[in-house]
Amino acid sequence: MTAPAAQGVVPLAPAAGEAVLVGRVWDPASGGPRVATVRGEKVYDLTSSVRTVSEIMERKDPAAFVMESPGVPRWRLADLVKDSLGGDRGRPYLLSPLDLQVVKACGVTFVDSMIERVIEERCGGDLNRAAEVRGMVAQALQGSLHAVRPGSERAREVKNVLVAQGLWSQYLEVGLGPHPEIFTKAPVLSSVGYGADVGIPGFSSWNNPEPELVLIAGSGGAVKGATLGNDVNLRDVEGRSALLLGMAKDNNASCAVGPFIRLFDQDFTLESLRSEDITLTVEGADGYRLEGCNSLGRISRPFEELVAAAHGIHHHYPDGFALFTGTLFAPTQDRDEEGLGFTHKPGDVVTISSPLLGTLVNRTRKTEDLEPWSFGIAALFKYLSSC
C-alpha cells in the first residue's frame, strides 16, 4: 500500500493534547500486537503491565491505570503515523485499538438517515431508482424529521403517513419504534486501524463509508472511552433485503476503528460527546471529493439507551464490547452520472475526524485484493504466552 493523499494528517487533534489514549501497535520484532499509550511525541509500550486493551476496560478507572503504568518508550508517534500510512509492514504500525471486545453496531439511530434506508429498500438495491424514490418520500413527509423521538406519538404519526403512501418499510420499526437495531458488525480481532486498507467486495456496486462514534465498554456495560469508526456499508446488498445485513456489513476489512481509544477522565466524559461533530472527506484518485458530517447532537436516541439495548441481562460480553452508535451521514451527491449518487471506487482515501477523538484515515481497495485476515484469537493467545 502506498501512502494515501492525506499522509500529512496526524492521528491526534490539537484539542486532544491532554487526552489519555490507549491503542495497539504491531511490533515486527516480536511478531505481535503491543498495548500502547501516547505521551507527548512518544508512544509507550504497556504490555509488561497489561496484555490486552480489553483488560484495561475492566479497571475501575482505566485512565488512571494507564497514566500510572510506567511503560517503555519504544516508538515515535510521527514514525507510527508515517509507517501506518506508508504500508511497510516490516516496520511498527498502528492497529485497531480493539482486541477481545465484541464489535456491535446500532442501525437507524438518526430518524433523518432512516429515510435513506427506506429508499434503499424501496429501490431493491437499485442505484438507478434512488433519486425517483427519494423525491416520493420527501413529498410524503413535507418536513424535517430530526426532532422526532422514536417511540413517541409524533413518531407514530410519521410512520402512519409513510405507510399510507405505500412506503411501508421494516426500517420504520427500528427508526421510529421503541427498540433500536443492534447487530454484530465484526468478529473479534477483525477490525483494522489507522492507515489500513478497507475492503469493498466485488459483488457490490452501491456502497459508502459511515463515519461514527464508537463507545468502548467493559464487561459490566459501563462505557470507559470512545473512538472513531467507519461502518462500511453495502447499500445495494442491504437494500435487496434487510436479512442480508450480515453480507452488507461484515466482510474482511469492512470495519475500521481508531486511531486510539480516548479514555474517560474528569475532563472527558460521555457528556462531552453529545454535541460532537464527526466530519468525513472522501478523496478519489479520479479527483472526486465528497464531504459530510455526522452531528451527534441530532441523534434520535441517547447513548445510554443504545448501550442498554446492546448489554444487559439479555446479553453479556465477558471481554467487553465496542458499540458503533450509527450515523446521520448518507451520501446522495452524484459522483459520475446525474441521479446515480455516490459509490466508492478503489483508491478512495477516507478521512474521519472529530475535535475530541482525532483522525482516522483509510483507503478503499477491492476486498478480494487484500491480504487475508490471519491473526485471530488463537494467534493472539500463542503470542501472549511467549511474551
Side-chain angles (χ1 to χ4, degrees), residues 184-339:
T184 300
K185 169 62 182 178
V188 170
L189 287 174
S190 70
S191 58
V192 299
Y194 180 91
D197 290 330
V198 293
I200 306 295
F203 54 73
S204 174
S205 59
W206 185 18
N207 43 71
N208 63 261
E210 293 190 351
E212 300 191 21
L213 169 70
V214 184
L215 301 177
I216 314 299
S219 61
V223 180
K224 304 295 182 72
T227 187
L228 298 171
N230 183 359
D231 178 14
V232 179
N233 184 38
L234 311 183
R235 299 188 68 178
D236 48 355
V237 174
E238 186 177 357
R240 282 162 47 205
S241 170
L243 296 179
L244 294 175
L245 182 66
M247 181 180 179
K249 291 289 191 176
D250 180 9
N251 298 286
N252 284 342
S254 65
C255 178
V257 181
F260 299 96
I261 297 169
R262 182 171 181 180
L263 298 173
F264 289 164
D265 55 26
Q266 61 181 5
D267 299 317
F268 177 64
T269 66
L270 198 58
E271 200 64 31
S272 308
L273 294 165
R274 296 197 194 276
S275 60
E276 186 81 342
D277 283 345
I278 299 175
T279 59
L280 171 136
T281 62
V282 176
E283 298 171 282
D286 56 357
Y288 176 85
R289 180 179 176 88
L290 173 72
E291 297 183 355
C293 182
N294 180 16
S295 298
L296 295 175
R298 297 179 66 180
I299 198 167
S300 301
R301 302 180 191 266
F303 299 140
E304 292 86 351
E305 181 179 335
L306 301 177
V307 172
H311 174 277
I313 194 65
H314 64 291
H315 209 318
H316 297 150
Y317 304 91
D319 297 298
F321 62 100
L323 183 64
F324 279 71
T325 55
T327 188
L328 175 65
F329 176 75
T332 59
Q333 175 182 314
D334 292 331
R335 181 165 196 170
D336 294 315
E337 296 181 39
E338 184 177 351

Side-chain angles (χ1 to χ4, degrees), residues 93-115:
Y93 60 93
L94 292 169
L95 295 167
S96 162
L98 304 178
D99 41 44
L100 295 180
Q101 297 92 343
V102 174
V103 185
K104 306 292 286 189
C106 304
V108 204
T109 53
F110 293 78
V111 174
D112 283 346
S113 67
M114 174 197 70
I115 298 305

Side-chain angles (χ1 to χ4, degrees), residues 61-121:
D61 187 344
F65 171 78
V66 168
M67 288 189 293
E68 293 166 5
S69 297
V72 178
R74 291 195 57 194
W75 310 282
R76 292 179 64 248
L77 180 58
D79 291 339
L80 288 177
V81 171
K82 177 182 177 182
D83 293 329
S84 297
L85 292 172
D88 181 355
R89 294 318 185 220
R91 300 179 60 83
Y93 60 93
L94 292 169
L95 295 167
S96 162
L98 304 178
D99 41 44
L100 295 180
Q101 297 92 343
V102 174
V103 185
K104 306 292 286 189
C106 304
V108 204
T109 53
F110 293 78
V111 174
D112 283 346
S113 67
M114 174 197 70
I115 298 305
E116 283 300 310
R117 305 287 85 79
V118 173
I119 291 167
E120 287 169 13
E121 186 174 64

